[in-house]
């Protein structure tokens, strides 16, 4: 039977860990509520941009001969170079949150590589950066601190070089990957093909347009809107990912707190058994000594 002092020390250690995990759960819960509200408001704006983009594109398709044209909408015959932008957390202790994103990115890299395309990785978040650097991958661009504190300006600056490379013909496709927020207990991997923009998706939408654009103004407005579309897509991915991160950490810390509680209960039983055995041994020795004195 284990030493009583050792068991007591373990119980104290596990209880301290339990206090830490409980506190981290409460902090993550509070942060999640704030991040969830921001994510919901941002989602409305994202939907508005997408609907307006679809409305203008559909209007141009309807009234202009040849429909919507331009580099933003050109589907390449052969995909030669692909930019994969992905978002992970700067911190751990959030279960399989980061792993799911990394797993998806690796799967995409293998898929595009098999098809003969060159893949360039642009990473946001310390955990993803550390993993791919350790695995020997070359990162075209990386930034730490943006996933834990999303800023629209910094997000726009980060995606700018990728969009410029696409417009210059250096890149044929831009893909955005992040682990997004679904609800308090669920996260889901989201893979968005940012560029080229799928015009067929707009054509399938039934849109009652209230916009009145001059024939030569439509494409100018569309191009300006596409820039906002790309910038806000990555900004929303950061906000969505942050909410999902807090959700995953809240669950992980809740599970750790419950496990600590079960461990304390198990160790307490072991302690009581060891104590009972020690008392029984002492009583037996006393009785044996008394019998020997008779």
């Amino acid at each position: 039977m284990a030493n009583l002092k050792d068991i007591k020390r373990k119980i104290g250690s596990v209880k301290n860990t339990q206090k830490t995990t409980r506190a981290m759960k409460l902090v993550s819960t509070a942060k999640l509520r704030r991040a969830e509200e921001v994510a919901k408001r941002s989602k409305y704006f994202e939907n508005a941009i997408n609907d307006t983009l679809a409305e203008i594109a559909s209007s141009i398709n309807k009234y202009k001969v040849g429909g919507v044209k331009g580099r933003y909408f050109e589907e390449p015959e052969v995909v030669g170079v692909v930019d994969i932008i992905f978002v992970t957390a700067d911190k751990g202790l959030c279960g399989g949150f980061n792993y799911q994103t990394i797993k998806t990115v690796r799967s995409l890299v293998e898929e595009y590589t098999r098809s003969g395309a060159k893949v360039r990785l642009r990473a946001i978040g310390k955990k993803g950066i550390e993993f791919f650097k350790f695995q020997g991958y070359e990162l075209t661009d990386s930034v730490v601190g943006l996933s834990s504190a999303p800023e629209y300006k910094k997000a726009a600056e980060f995606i700018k070089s990728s969009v410029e490379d696409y417009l210059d013909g250096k890149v044929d496709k831009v893909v955005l990957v992040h682990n997004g927020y679904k609800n308090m207990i669920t996260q889901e991997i989201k893979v968005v093909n940012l560029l080229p923009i799928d015009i067929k998706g707009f054509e399938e939408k039934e849109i009652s347009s209230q916009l009145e654009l001059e024939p030569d103004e439509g494409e100018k407005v569309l191009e300006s809107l596409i820039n906002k579309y790309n910038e806000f897509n990555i900004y929303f991915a950061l906000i969505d990912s942050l909410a999902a991160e807090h959700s995953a950490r809240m669950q992980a810390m809740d599970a750790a707190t419950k496990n600590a509680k079960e461990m304390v209960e198990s160790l307490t039983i072991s302690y009581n058994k060891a104590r009972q055995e020690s008392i029984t041994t002492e009583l037996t020795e006393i009785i044996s000594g008394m019998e020997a004195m008779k």
Side-chain angles (χ1 to χ4, degrees):
M1 187 63 70
N3 186 283
L4 284 172
K5 287 184 178 179
D6 289 340
I7 297 175
K8 199 169 185 178
R9 179 178 54 78
K10 287 180 181 178
I11 290 173
S13 177
V14 174
K15 281 184 176 179
N16 288 335
T17 302
Q18 187 180 21
K19 289 177 183 177
T20 303
T21 56
R22 187 185 291 115
M24 290 182 71
K25 177 196 170 185
L26 294 173
V27 170
S28 292
T29 303
K31 287 183 176 180
L32 173 61
R33 290 195 184 102
R34 293 195 296 270
E36 187 181 16
E37 285 301 314
V38 175
K40 283 180 180 178
R41 292 197 299 269
S42 300
K43 185 64 178 175
Y44 295 142
F45 189 67
E46 184 198 33
N47 290 338
I49 287 181
N50 291 342
D51 290 344
T52 306
L53 190 63
E55 192 173 345
I56 295 172
S58 298
S59 179
I60 294 172
N61 262 345
K62 185 176 180 181
Y63 296 109
K64 184 179 177 181
V65 177
V68 177
K69 292 182 180 179
R71 174 63 179 159
Y72 286 115
F73 304 97
E74 290 178 4
E75 285 287 345
E77 294 181 5
V78 179
V79 177
V81 182
V82 180
D83 263 12
I84 297 179
I85 303 171
F86 63 93
V87 182
T88 58
D90 288 322
K91 301 176 182 177
L93 298 177
C94 45
F97 173 79
N98 291 311
Y99 171 74
Q100 292 301 324
T101 304
I102 290 169
K103 180 183 175 183
T104 303
V105 172
R106 292 187 71 179
S107 178
L108 287 171
V109 170
E110 290 173 4
E111 180 185 332
Y112 284 118
T113 302
R114 280 197 303 268
S115 66
K118 178 186 176 182
V119 178
R120 307 194 314 179
L121 296 178
R122 296 179 183 268
I124 301 175
K126 185 178 179 181
K127 291 301 176 181
I129 292 169
E130 288 180 344
F131 175 85
F132 283 101
K133 280 187 175 180
F134 181 77
Q135 293 294 322
Y137 287 84
E138 183 181 346
L139 299 179
T140 303
D141 197 2
S142 62
V143 62
V144 175
L146 188 56
S147 59
S148 55
E151 290 183 32
Y152 184 88
K153 187 177 179 180
K154 290 182 179 179
E157 288 174 357
F158 185 83
I159 199 173
K160 184 179 178 181
S161 58
S162 188
V163 174
E164 286 176 349
D165 284 351
Y166 176 81
L167 293 175
D168 292 339
K170 296 177 182 179
V171 175
D172 300 307
K173 193 172 187 179
V174 180
V175 180
L176 176 61
V177 182
H178 76 281
N179 200 349
Y181 177 80
K182 190 172 183 180
N183 53 51
M184 290 282 283
I185 59 172
T186 310
Q187 303 86 43
E188 60 178 351
I189 290 293
K190 297 179 181 179
V191 180
V192 179
N193 293 323
L194 284 182
L195 296 170
I197 296 171
D198 183 15
I199 194 66
K200 292 179 182 177
F202 296 153
E203 292 172 348
E204 291 171 0
K205 291 185 178 181
E206 292 184 6
I207 299 171
S208 176
S209 180
Q210 297 180 354
L211 291 175
E212 294 183 4
L213 297 171
E214 293 296 326
D216 59 341
E217 287 182 349
E219 291 188 355
K220 291 180 182 178
V221 174
L222 188 62
E223 184 175 340
S224 176
L225 194 61
I226 288 171
N227 290 330
K228 291 295 180 185
Y229 165 83
N230 288 324
E231 291 172 1
F232 198 82
N233 260 292
I234 191 167
Y235 178 63
F236 175 74
L238 291 169
I239 293 172
D240 195 32
S241 177
L242 184 60
E245 179 191 340
H246 290 316
S247 171
R249 185 170 290 111
M250 180 187 73
Q251 292 176 71
M253 292 303 100
D254 182 53
T257 302
K258 288 178 180 177
N259 290 339
K261 182 182 178 182
E262 291 174 4
M263 190 175 290
V264 168
E265 290 173 353
S266 176
L267 286 169
T268 301
I269 291 171
S270 297
Y271 177 81
N272 290 336
K273 284 182 178 180
R275 187 166 176 271
Q276 186 177 15
E277 184 178 300
S278 175
I279 292 170
T280 303
T281 301
E282 288 178 7
L283 286 172
T284 302
E285 289 175 354
I286 291 170
I287 292 169
S288 297
M290 290 177 67
E291 288 293 327
M293 291 175 65
K294 288 181 180 180

